[in-house]
Amino acid sequence: QSALTQPPSVSGSPGQSVTISCTGTSSDVGSYNRVSWYQQPPGTAPKLMTYDVSNRPSGVPDRFSGSKSGNTASLTISGLQAEDEADYYCSSHTTSSTYVFGTGTKVTVL
Amino acid sequence: EVQLMESGGGLVQPGGSLRLSCAASGFTFNTYWMHWVRQVPGKGLLWVSRLNGGGSRTDYADSVKGRFTISRDNAKNTLYLQMNSLRGEDTAVYYCARGHVTGYGFDIWGQGTMVTVSS
């Protein structure tokens, strides 16, 4: 199972919006609405930001929103804040009953 | 407080074995799928394995199938990962994670335990 494809980095100024893409195949992202996103600041464990494409766990700001079209999922961070600077990973359940993560994207707040 | 705490990591020689543990607290352990995810320091995440709440259904990544075994003791609220025939490429931080109760995602993570495979 190959990793899902994410851009290595994205950046934006405080208050701007950034979008991270996550491209898979019809065997993972395209098959189900079972995509999740994780935030990982340096030296810490990942934190769930969205699940089932667009659902947010309690406590996650509504500035974080997920979407999907075909084999590509996206995470949009609106109103970018300094504390959003971290690595972000997407993940998808697959038709083989396994999971696959994305390659990771570093978000930089300018 | 909902918490996961891994232990059992360390240095092991190629071909050796190691068993990781993940102690859970603050939730009804036997009702959740549990997962292992690993990460080479400075690199990306890799899903390793999962086990359902009753312990009857397992799935593995191709890279560990036949070498790693996931199990749980619901009486002790503990998840395990038995790792055999270890290789250098298994060197990573190993996280246990809880599967979301109604959806597909990993909603609680431990702090991770480092496994180093080297002679």
Side-chain angles (χ1 to χ4, degrees), chain B residues 2 24-32 53 72 74 77 98:
Chain B
V2 175
S25 59
F27 63 97
T28 307
F29 182 66
N30 63 10
T31 64
Y32 287 85
R72 65 196 297 161
N74 286 339
N77 289 345
R98 189 180 80 172

Side-chain angles (χ1 to χ4, degrees), chain B residues 64-76:
Chain B
V64 307
K65 201 174 294 183
R67 300 188 300 123
F68 290 11
T69 302
I70 190 172
S71 63
R72 65 196 297 161
D73 185 336
N74 286 339
K76 295 182 178 179

Side-chain angles (χ1 to χ4, degrees), chain A residues 3 10 15 18-19 29 34 41 45 54 56 60-61 65 71 77 81 83-84 87-88 91 96 99 101-102 105-106:
Chain A
V10 299
V18 295
T19 297
V29 175
R34 295 176 182 176
S54 58
R56 273 186 308 276
V60 173
S65 61
N71 294 339
I77 309 172
Q81 299 181 5
E83 66 209 50
D84 299 333
D87 292 329
Y88 289 80
S91 177
S96 301
Y99 287 78
F101 281 96
T105 298
K106 181 176 180 62

Side-chain angles (χ1 to χ4, degrees), chain A residues 5-110:
Chain A
T5 301
Q6 298 180 229
S9 63
V10 299
S11 61
S13 299
Q16 289 186 330
S17 293
V18 295
T19 297
I20 306 167
S21 62
C22 169
T23 301
T25 70
S26 57
S27 296
D28 37 65
V29 175
S31 276
Y32 314 107
N33 288 330
R34 295 176 182 176
V35 176
S36 51
W37 286 91
Y38 303 86
Q39 178 192 66
Q40 187 180 33
T44 69
K47 174 187 175 183
L48 179 66
M49 304 305 284
T50 68
Y51 66 96
D52 294 353
V53 175
S54 58
N55 293 320
R56 273 186 308 276
S58 61
V60 173
D62 59 7
R63 304 185 292 103
F64 293 86
S65 61
S67 61
K68 194 191 85 164
S69 178
N71 294 339
T72 298
S74 299
L75 177 72
T76 298
I77 309 172
S78 305
L80 198 62
Q81 299 181 5
E83 66 209 50
D84 299 333
E85 193 161 285
D87 292 329
Y88 289 80
Y89 295 91
C90 61
S91 177
S92 177
H93 191 238
T94 79
T95 55
S96 301
S97 297
T98 61
Y99 287 78
V100 60
F101 281 96
T103 50
T105 298
K106 181 176 180 62
V107 171
T108 300
V109 181
L110 301 172

